Amino acid sequence: MMFDKFKPMADFQAELAERSVEPFGAITEKILSATEGVVQGRNVILAGTNNYLGLSFDPRCIKAAQDATALWGTGTTGSRLANGSFAEHQALETEIAQFYGVDNAIVFSTGYTATMGMCATLAGPGDVILLDADSHASIYTGVKLSGAEIIRFKHSDPEDLAKRLRRLGDRAHQTLIIAEGIYSMLGDVAPLQEIAAVKREYGGYLFVDEAHSMGVMGATGRGAAQAAGVEADVDFFCGTFSKSLGAIGGFCVSRHAELAAIRFCINSYIFTASSSPSVIASTREALRITAAEPELQAKLWDNCNRLYQGLKSMGLPVGPTASPVVAVAMEDRSRTIDCWKALMEAGVYVNLVIPPASPSTNFLLRNSVSAAHTSAQIDAIIAAYAGLKSAGLITGTQAH
Ligand code: PMP
């Protein structure tokens, strides 16, 4: 039967319903601020939003979106190639290229279509793609569409990357190497200095998805490559407007002038409607604020360190370093669901992550930190985890 393969998911849904939990697609009834909402009838601190700089509620971004709606209407009703290229889209492309100090940029309707479209288009039949084994679904989907030979290297392992490039011999020059800045599930940062050194030695093109690191790392918020000082080695940067910039949309920037031609070869750019003017306008404002107010990044990291230290000192299995994504690794699915539910009851909304979305066999209670969290809110999140511990739902000894 065609539908047999969906049975495990149907069974899992039934199990969740029986236990009265709805971790996937829990309905947010009201958003009160960047860090508070009413979810399933409960006032909660939002600790799973990816709203790293808290800009979704910045009055300047809201005003820009409102003004743009009044001026341009609610939607473009067409793709960039048809009727959907407004002056707003072009202005954002100029500004995001300037933000990265390069000449070429493409704005996409979502981060997913940006990353997927670039990965599907840059390398083709006869080329090779070397991607980090823990890459995001948008990367995996894209590379499958590319027609290139696909090889995975061990997660964040530059030596394994070098070994595989060495084996390729001359074909190394025709290879697209793909990594992310901060990995979305565990919050670990890619060793971009080492990866860039490998690329310099063997050749190829380096593509970095800065979805979770833009606005979060680097002196001017350009991401992990800027923080590592290796931007000159990166051929293509992709990212999203849905996290630090508080809206929706994606981008690719590059110093390669060929991006102008590549633009017209990307299906996920050509055959989908362009972003609404309000979204583009708030993104432009958020980008301006990100560049002008580095104190937001500093506040974010204060909060990251506070949450990380709080959970770590309780003995919880968090990652090796503080990060805007703080994930608590769990081994038992049923126990993880109990913890998610108990956190909701304690007024804290986090992300429940199950394989294959989590990169190992672990289940995760994934917290994401915002510059807009107050210290008191971070302490309340820590206290909610302490509650799990005293209720015996979580111990300090689970392996990460
Ligand atoms: N790349 C990575 C690494 C991501 O984590 C995500 C979203 N989680 C995306 C791309 C897609 O971005 P968006 O949700 O804005 O479409």
Side-chain angles (χ1 to χ4, degrees), residues 73-393:
T74 50
T76 66
T77 68
S79 84
R80 291 291 301 277
L81 263 70
N83 55 306
S85 265
F86 289 12
E88 286 280 305
H89 299 88
Q90 201 178 34
L92 178 54
E93 280 177 347
T94 305
E95 288 159 7
I96 189 91
Q98 275 167 0
F99 182 80
Y100 274 90
V102 295
D103 289 332
N104 310 285
I106 306 176
V107 162
F108 292 81
S109 302
T110 68
Y112 193 98
T113 53
T115 311
M116 180 194 69
M118 291 308 298
C119 290
T121 310
L122 282 171
D127 300 324
V128 182
I129 293 178
L130 261 168
L131 79 161
D132 187 289
D134 287 358
S135 290
H136 188 256
S138 56
I139 296 173
Y140 269 106
T141 307
V143 301
K144 273 188 216 153
L145 294 170
S146 71
E149 182 182 341
I150 302 163
I151 304 171
R152 287 185 287 184
F153 62 92
K154 283 192 199 135
H155 175 56
S156 286
D157 186 337
E159 277 183 23
D160 192 49
L161 171 66
K163 188 175 83 185
R164 289 166 195 279
L165 276 166
R166 219 170 12 250
R167 279 191 202 145
L168 287 170
D170 282 349
R171 293 182 74 206
H173 296 282
Q174 263 173 271
T175 299
L176 183 68
I177 302 163
I178 302 178
E180 294 172 32
I182 291 180
Y183 282 84
S184 59
M185 289 298 133
L186 298 178
D188 51 315
V189 181
L192 289 179
Q193 259 168 12
E194 291 82 354
I195 289 175
V198 170
K199 179 216 150 174
R200 278 198 298 276
E201 186 175 349
Y202 294 96
Y205 297 85
L206 181 56
F207 174 103
V208 179
D209 183 349
E210 299 270 17
H212 290 267
S213 30
M214 181 208 196
V216 164
M217 295 181 76
T220 61
R222 299 206 293 232
Q226 184 180 36
V230 294
E231 287 181 292
D233 297 299
V234 178
D235 295 277
F236 298 94
F237 290 96
C238 261
T240 176
F241 303 142
S242 74
K243 305 187 194 302
S244 291
L245 302 185
I248 186 166
F251 68 88
C252 177
V253 298
S254 176
R255 64 189 142 79
H256 294 292
E258 286 81 357
L259 197 67
I262 295 170
R263 175 195 294 266
F264 297 110
C265 304
I266 308 169
N267 279 359
S268 66
Y269 174 84
I270 302 171
F271 296 105
T272 193
S274 61
S275 303
S276 292
S278 57
V279 163
I280 296 291
S282 79
T283 301
R284 290 180 65 193
E285 187 59 17
L287 188 63
R288 190 193 64 71
I289 294 168
T290 301
E293 298 179 12
E295 58 273 22
L296 279 175
Q297 200 191 126
K299 179 69 178 33
L300 168 68
W301 280 97
D302 282 351
N303 285 342
C304 296
N305 288 321
R306 195 178 184 98
L307 181 64
Y308 178 78
Q309 289 307 333
L311 298 188
K312 193 180 161 80
S313 64
M314 236 184 272
L316 298 187
V318 289
T321 54
S323 161
V325 175
V326 183
V328 178
M330 309 280 293
E331 279 161 5
D332 180 71
R333 184 171 89 178
S334 182
R335 184 57 69 86
T336 315
I337 294 165
D338 289 340
C339 286
W340 183 86
K341 195 175 171 188
L343 286 170
M344 276 290 275
E345 283 160 8
V348 177
Y349 175 76
V350 307
N351 306 129
L352 174 85
V353 184
I354 62 167
S358 62
S360 67
T361 52
N362 281 335
F363 299 84
L364 303 175
L365 295 166
R366 176 186 181 272
N367 309 275
S368 66
V369 183
S370 173
H373 281 127
T374 61
S375 305
Q377 285 176 324
I378 298 288
D379 292 347
I381 299 168
I382 297 167
Y385 277 93
L388 298 184
K389 231 187 140 185
S390 45
L393 282 171

